[in-house]
Amino acid sequence: MGIQQGTREFKHSSLALFAGGFSTFALLYCLQPIIPELTLDFNITPTLASLAMSVTTIAMALTMLFVGALSDAWGRKTIMTASLAAASVITVAFSFSTSFNMLLLLRIVQGIVLAGLPAIAMTYLSEEMDKNSLGYAMGLYISGNAIGGMAGRIISGLLTDWFNWRVATTVLGSLSILASIVFWLTIPASRNFVKRKLELSKLVPLLWTQLVNVRLLCLYGLGFLFMGGFVTLFNYIGFELLGAPYNLSQSLVGSIFVVYIMGSISSTWMGRMADRYGRIPIMLAALGIFLSGALLTSCGSLVFKILGITLFVFGFFGGHSIASSWVGLVSKEHKSQANSLYLFFYYVGSSLSGTGGGLLYHEFGWSGIVGLIAVYVVIGVLLCAVLKRLGAGDNSISTLSG
């Protein structure tokens, strides 16, 4: 029997993974709100500056394909803790960047080491949690991601406004070192983990078995679409708000990311709703909220823009929470590879759309960003239709497996 909600182990594992998710996503997204600052500091274009995000996520995506196999051989806790600690130290090193190329190199290395926690955390939860508590546990973990992403953006925005972006990354890296210690001290040892010999030659065939499963492909597609639209909007919303007619300060733009708290709420609430009422109807609701929020950001009123961002965040984290927990149910065997592939597509969506969206923004302005997200939602609805046709909407393990 897996770890059940309400037990001491559930509380400890939830605290550890909340702290781990918080640290991971604070570090990953700390540069996003200050992309306009990087354009000034290094005298580069917005599209080029967005590479500070894209190179990290693509490095994470590629590394996630292999890190699951490493954790199968070396253990989940060891890899996750080392990942957090190394990424924290690299963030402190950002402050010594003398060129944009040097910063990009550090971000690539950071993406490689950051991969150790997200892919394995999902596998850990899939292995250790009781199936009736999995949706809620995954929601709690993703809420840590949401709050970490929010805190990283807000802290970096505020400290950049008060000091500079180099001070901001030093502070965030130091805080994440503390989060790494909390993670190591509280994460329960794996009870259902079966150690396997490290055989990288068998990794490609294992990954292939997860790629020929149409249900999993649909879920990978949903991850790509959600994350692609999400990062694209947030990469360029800063340019809209810093410019006319709003002319907000960097601190105010950073503080708007407080709406990420809605992600913490939606990931746990929609995870519970999916456990109770089925994943397909709640996923469709998440897609609808996601699109509604994006459309509202087209309004001229700052109030409506912020409301739109709030709805957008709510829909994104709810949809990601459902899709990520769904992968663990659909994949009967080799869950770490299935979860790694989900996150591979998820972060490839971030990298390709995050930078490619800059081209649309340059040509069509904000309507280009919203139009791209609308197309993504239409594709997402079609993927849900395929899942329903394949009978993947039931919550039971027997129906979802295979």
Side-chain angles (χ1 to χ4, degrees):
M1 180 180 292
I3 299 173
Q4 295 181 325
Q5 185 179 341
T7 63
R8 183 171 179 270
E9 281 189 314
F10 186 92
K11 294 176 182 177
H12 281 193
S13 60
S14 296
L15 173 62
L17 289 170
F18 184 93
F22 180 98
S23 178
T24 297
F25 288 88
L27 300 182
L28 180 61
Y29 293 113
C30 65
L31 295 185
Q32 191 177 51
I34 56 176
I35 286 177
E37 191 72 18
L38 297 179
T39 64
L40 297 175
D41 198 5
F42 295 110
N43 193 27
I44 54 178
T45 66
T47 301
L48 185 60
S50 72
L51 288 174
M53 290 297 303
S54 297
V55 297
T56 310
T57 52
I58 197 66
M60 281 184 67
L62 291 170
T63 307
M64 282 173 178
L65 296 177
F66 305 97
V67 75
L70 292 177
S71 74
D72 287 343
W74 298 346
R76 314 294 189 211
K77 182 175 180 177
T78 300
I79 298 293
M80 289 191 286
T81 306
S83 167
L84 287 175
S88 301
V89 173
I90 291 170
T91 303
V92 174
F94 288 169
S95 62
F96 299 100
S97 298
T98 56
S99 69
F100 188 64
N101 287 338
M102 181 178 178
L103 178 63
L104 287 183
L105 179 61
L106 287 172
R107 286 290 279 176
I108 291 170
V109 176
Q110 186 181 50
I112 292 171
V113 299
L114 271 177
L117 187 126
I120 300 172
M122 291 173 62
T123 302
Y124 176 91
L125 288 171
S126 297
E127 289 174 341
E128 303 301 325
M129 292 295 158
D130 179 81
K131 69 181 182 68
N132 293 321
S133 300
L134 177 60
Y136 183 53
M138 190 71 76
L140 288 173
Y141 163 62
I142 291 176
S143 72
N145 300 352
I147 294 175
M150 175 188 72
R153 289 170 168 97
I154 292 175
I155 292 171
S156 65
L158 290 173
L159 291 178
T160 297
D161 215 18
W162 296 341
F163 303 100
N164 57 60
W165 67 268
R166 298 173 190 275
V167 171
T169 55
T170 299
V171 171
L172 281 168
S174 301
L175 291 174
S176 294
I177 290 173
L178 296 178
S180 303
I181 296 172
V182 172
F183 181 88
W184 173 255
L185 293 176
T186 56
I187 187 77
S190 299
R191 294 189 303 182
N192 299 317
F193 166 69
V194 178
K195 187 174 182 179
R196 297 182 178 90
K197 183 179 179 181
L198 180 61
E199 296 178 304
L200 293 179
S201 62
K202 295 183 178 180
L203 180 59
V204 173
L206 288 178
L207 291 171
W208 179 251
T209 63
Q210 309 302 321
L211 280 171
V212 296
N213 185 320
V214 179
R215 293 171 180 171
L216 286 175
L217 282 175
C218 289
L219 295 174
Y220 299 157
L222 285 167
F224 178 100
L225 297 169
F226 269 117
M227 189 56 163
F230 183 75
V231 167
T232 301
L233 185 141
F234 277 103
N235 272 2
Y236 302 102
I237 192 68
F239 292 99
E240 290 288 296
L241 298 176
L242 288 168
Y246 312 107
N247 299 313
L248 301 184
S249 68
Q250 186 68 62
S251 293
L252 285 174
V253 171
S255 66
I256 287 173
F257 290 101
V258 75
V259 300
Y260 260 54
I261 198 68
M262 297 304 296
S264 176
I265 295 170
S266 70
S267 59
T268 52
W269 181 73
M270 295 189 85
R272 279 178 165 176
M273 293 299 100
D275 287 341
R276 184 177 302 175
Y277 298 112
R279 288 171 171 78
I280 286 177
I282 306 302
M283 177 63 78
L284 289 172
L287 285 166
I289 296 169
F290 189 68
L291 177 58
S292 299
L295 292 173
L296 272 177
T297 63
S298 295
C299 296
S301 168
L302 181 59
V303 173
F304 279 106
K305 279 191 180 294
I306 295 174
L307 176 60
I309 293 170
T310 303
L311 287 174
F312 186 77
V313 168
F314 191 95
F316 166 74
F317 280 103
H320 172 44
S321 175
I322 296 164
S324 56
S325 63
W326 206 343
V327 169
L329 296 176
V330 171
S331 178
K332 183 182 294 186
E333 296 179 324
H334 308 299
K335 293 181 184 293
S336 62
Q337 282 72 39
N339 287 324
S340 294
L341 279 168
Y342 172 81
L343 290 171
F344 172 78
F345 281 92
Y346 181 81
Y347 287 112
V348 165
S350 169
S351 299
L352 295 182
S353 189
T355 296
L359 301 176
L360 289 174
Y361 184 63
H362 177 74
E363 292 294 328
F364 306 105
W366 192 247
S367 61
I369 301 295
V370 175
L372 177 66
I373 293 168
V375 171
Y376 282 178
V377 169
V378 171
I379 298 172
V381 171
L382 293 176
L383 292 176
C384 287
V386 174
L387 286 167
K388 184 176 182 179
R389 185 176 180 82
L390 292 173
D394 191 282
N395 286 338
S396 67
I397 296 295
S398 59
T399 301
L400 286 170
S401 299

